[in-house]
Amino acid sequence: MLTADEWGIVWLSLQVSLVAIAGALPVAFGLAYLLARGRFPGKVVIDALVHLPLVLPPVVVGWMLLIAFAPNGLLGAPLQRWLGVSLMFRWTGAALAAAVMALPLMVRSIRLSIEAVDPRLEAAARTLGAGRIDAFVTILLPLARPGVLAALVLGFARSLGEFGATITFVSNVPGQTATLPLAIYSALQAPGQEVTVWRLALISVALSLGALIASEMLVRQGPVRDRDAHVL
């Protein structure tokens, strides 16, 4: 059984991950749509920038966030001055770090799903009188839904495992930023905490494995739904 403190760590991790993917989803969908359907100069550069967190050391991503959102940073100063909002050493900062690290995976999943939708279906709907927004809502979104749901689940799993960017950006503050990976790291540094490490590690493995299995199941639904839609 988990202790009260360990349950707090689990709930904090779930809170951070859910807020991270909720905040990242609109950005991820917009970027995925732009990269899937857009034709413009510099598209390759934007694609590379979107996927940069996948290849950069997470510590570098956390350092960039720290520079940008510090109280005197380019984004942190206006937030502090105008809205009284600070992300430093708070769970909201941990959610931002998780969202940035999960964003490339979410964009890729959604982009592949959008690219699998035949643009001629939307064009046909528009020739029958549907507007651009109507065709988007009634044709593209339903067909791309498996990829969007898979992106959410995959982003959730990635957020659960986020460590490097979080500890660099908002440190390891119990009750605020000490999610499962950070709590496991702290327990590893203290003698006699092997049982705690085992419990938290097993919870982390179970949550991540369940999310990955769910993502794979959602992805496999995509071709079936797309094929049915083409037949209809």
Side-chain angles (χ1 to χ4, degrees):
M1 294 294 293
L2 299 179
T3 66
D5 289 341
E6 291 166 353
W7 274 117
I9 293 168
V10 173
W11 288 120
L12 176 63
S13 299
L14 294 175
Q15 179 184 13
V16 166
S17 298
L18 289 172
V19 171
I21 61 171
L25 179 61
V27 179
F29 192 93
L31 289 171
Y33 186 84
L34 181 68
L35 294 173
R37 296 293 172 84
R39 298 291 184 271
F40 54 90
K43 179 179 175 180
V44 174
V45 176
I46 293 179
D47 192 10
L49 289 174
V50 167
H51 291 87
L52 193 59
L54 285 178
V55 296
L56 277 178
V59 173
V60 175
V61 177
W63 174 74
M64 290 179 175
L65 290 173
L66 183 61
I67 296 298
F69 288 94
N72 59 346
L74 181 63
L75 300 176
L79 285 175
Q80 183 72 42
R81 186 183 310 116
W82 297 334
L83 301 177
V85 174
S86 176
L87 301 178
M88 302 303 298
F89 311 115
R90 297 179 57 84
W91 72 268
T92 48
L96 175 61
V100 170
M101 296 302 296
L103 184 67
L105 295 177
M106 297 177 68
V107 170
R108 184 164 184 80
S109 178
I110 297 173
R111 179 182 178 179
L112 292 174
S113 186
I114 292 175
E115 289 177 342
V117 178
D118 191 341
R120 292 175 296 181
L121 295 174
E122 297 172 80
R126 295 185 64 186
T127 61
L128 295 175
R132 183 181 296 272
I133 296 179
D134 290 335
F136 177 83
V137 172
T138 60
I139 302 296
L140 180 63
L141 279 183
L143 293 177
R145 182 172 55 188
V148 174
L149 294 177
L152 284 172
V153 178
L154 193 60
F156 175 77
R158 179 63 185 86
S159 299
L160 279 175
E162 168 48 36
F163 175 81
T166 301
I167 199 170
T168 305
F169 178 37
V170 291
S171 189
N172 187 3
V173 182
Q176 282 292 334
T177 66
T179 55
L180 276 167
L182 276 70
I184 292 172
Y185 175 79
S186 296
L188 285 170
Q189 309 307 307
Q193 295 295 312
E194 290 81 6
V195 176
T196 299
V197 172
W198 270 102
R199 285 199 295 258
L200 294 179
L202 288 175
I203 291 293
S204 181
V205 169
L207 290 173
S208 299
L209 184 61
L212 289 174
I213 292 173
S215 175
E216 181 64 22
M217 292 175 64
L218 289 168
V219 167
R220 293 192 177 196
Q221 292 179 19
V224 175
R225 293 184 180 182
D226 290 349
R227 184 171 63 248
D228 292 344
H230 283 281
V231 172
L232 293 174

